[in-house]
């Protein structure tokens, strides 16, 4: 009975990872353990390391194109504007990212999937939305809390001399991963899609390009993991959600289109 109580207490500790202490831009509850300054330092250190370990593309035409798109998105950010550093990396990986502190990285292979300025804007806006929504802080905080809970379970199993301890720990680890980390990862991706859609519209990029982007991504991918065990929504789910959100941002796009915005062309 004592052993059962210990395990129940540890599992309760794991369940506490759902505690909401902050609200995301869409109103979703978040647990954030780190300060904004902490995350900015992490972002700066990570970006510096990436610039040392990856090859930076120096093609002036490609860089001007990416800088133009990123610059319009940065100009559309709400609130006080901080300087952002944008770097184009040579990589076969189809990816892009943004980090706290004002850092954007785009991989050259992304330009073969994001075929238009609007499609690349959808990618960059999505990544910047992750930063605006404190998703990095949230993921780091949840990982720390989950790790603390698993250590308590391990201690309870050790004290109780439970047989097949390693099997139990593996099962509990999978349960925590599927039940805690991955669902929030999917919610974060959907949230970044919604916020990114509004951001690209305010920057004067056609939000409908977010759909064509993910159609391109679906064609380029060689299959994908089951949505249940993936941190990203399936392509079909993502496209369906984006289509539902586009009418909500079309007004912002029309308003931005009336302004004299710098055209971004890959010459």
């Amino acid at each position: 009975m004592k052993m059962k109580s210990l395990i129940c207490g540890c599992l309760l500790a794991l369940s506490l990872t759902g505690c909401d202490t902050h609200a995301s831009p869409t109103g979703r509850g978040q647990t954030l353990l780190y300060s904004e300054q902490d995350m900015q330092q992490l972002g700066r250190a990570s970006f510096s390391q990436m610039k040392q370990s990856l090859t930076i593309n120096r093609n002036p035409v490609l860089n001007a194109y990416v800088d133009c798109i990123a610059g319009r998105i940065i100009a559309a950010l709400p609130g006080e504007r901080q300087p952002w550093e944008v770097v184009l990396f040579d990589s076969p990986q189809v990816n892009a990212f943004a980090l706290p502190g004002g850092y954007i990285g785009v991989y050259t292979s992304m330009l073969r999937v994001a075929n238009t300025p609007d499609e690349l804007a959808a990618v960059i806006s999505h990544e910047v939305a992750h930063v605006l929504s404190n998703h990095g802080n949230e993921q780091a905080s949840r990982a720390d809390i989950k790790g603390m809970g698993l250590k308590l379970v391990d201690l309870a199993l050790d004290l109780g001399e439970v047989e097949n301890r390693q099997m139990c720990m593996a099962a509990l680890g999978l349960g925590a991963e599927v039940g805690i980390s991955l669902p929030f990862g999917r919610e974060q991706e959907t949230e970044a899609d919604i916020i990114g859609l509004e951001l690209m519209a305010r920057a004067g990029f056609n939000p409908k390009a977010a759909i064509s982007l993910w159609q391109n991504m679906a064609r380029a991918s060689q299959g994908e993991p089951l949505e249940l065990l993936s941190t990203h929504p399936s392509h079909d789910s993502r496209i369906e959600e984006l289509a539902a959100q586009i009418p909500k941002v079309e007004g912002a796009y029309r308003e931005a289109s009336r302004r004299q915005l710098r055209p971004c062309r890959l010459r």
Side-chain angles (χ1 to χ4, degrees):
M1 182 62 69
K2 181 179 180 181
M3 181 59 207
K4 182 178 179 181
S5 298
L6 278 171
I7 293 179
C8 288
C10 293
L11 293 177
L12 177 60
L14 282 176
S15 71
L16 291 178
T17 58
C19 293
D20 298 327
T21 57
H22 296 265
S24 74
T26 63
R28 179 177 61 81
Q30 295 176 302
T31 298
L32 305 179
L33 299 182
Y34 298 96
S35 68
E36 183 177 352
Q37 291 72 25
D38 289 337
M39 296 307 298
Q40 289 177 348
Q41 290 178 2
L42 286 171
R44 181 166 58 250
S46 297
F47 202 64
S48 176
Q49 184 178 12
M50 294 192 76
K51 288 193 294 184
Q52 293 175 16
S53 60
L54 297 176
T55 302
I56 297 177
N57 183 285
R58 303 293 184 183
N59 184 303
V61 175
L62 292 179
N63 275 271
Y65 175 67
V66 172
D67 286 345
C68 177
I69 295 170
R72 279 174 48 179
I73 292 168
I74 293 166
L77 291 175
E80 183 178 353
R81 297 174 191 165
Q82 63 177 353
W84 285 69
E85 182 178 357
V86 183
V87 175
L88 180 64
F89 294 103
D90 277 323
S91 174
Q93 185 179 2
V94 178
N95 206 355
F97 63 88
L99 296 174
Y103 305 98
I104 295 172
V106 177
Y107 294 171
T108 50
S109 289
M110 177 59 75
L111 302 182
R112 293 198 290 269
V113 177
N115 298 320
T116 68
D118 296 293
E119 288 177 355
L120 185 57
V123 174
I124 296 175
S125 295
H126 172 89
E127 298 304 326
V128 171
H130 278 305
V131 175
L132 297 180
S133 304
N134 294 310
H135 288 165
N137 192 338
E138 184 180 14
Q139 285 295 84
S141 300
R142 289 191 168 277
D144 285 350
I145 295 172
K146 188 186 76 173
M148 189 183 307
L150 289 175
K151 286 180 181 179
L152 288 173
V153 175
D154 190 31
L155 175 61
L157 293 171
D158 187 37
L159 291 174
E161 298 181 354
V162 175
E163 295 181 2
N164 299 320
R165 174 183 170 188
Q166 294 303 321
M167 186 182 299
C168 290
M169 283 302 297
L172 288 170
L174 178 62
E177 188 70 14
V178 175
I180 299 170
S181 300
L182 296 187
F184 274 89
R186 291 196 297 270
E187 286 188 359
Q188 288 171 342
E189 288 296 327
T190 300
E191 191 168 59
D193 280 344
I194 294 171
I195 296 169
L197 205 63
E198 181 179 358
L199 182 56
M200 70 179 291
R202 289 207 307 263
F205 294 103
N206 191 339
K208 292 180 180 178
I211 293 179
S212 59
L213 167 71
W214 283 103
Q215 289 171 337
N216 295 347
M217 293 285 282
R219 285 190 292 268
S221 66
Q222 300 295 319
E224 60 183 2
L226 293 174
E227 184 174 358
L228 176 64
L229 298 176
S230 171
T231 58
H232 290 241
S234 70
H235 295 313
D236 289 343
S237 296
R238 190 165 227 153
I239 290 170
E240 183 179 352
E241 178 62 30
L242 285 167
Q245 293 295 326
I246 284 174
K248 301 177 183 179
V249 301
E250 286 181 332
Y253 172 56
R254 286 194 297 270
E255 181 179 346
S257 299
R258 298 189 193 102
R259 304 196 303 269
Q260 294 294 323
L261 297 171
R262 176 187 175 190
C264 302
R265 299 188 181 95
L266 185 57
R267 299 177 180 176

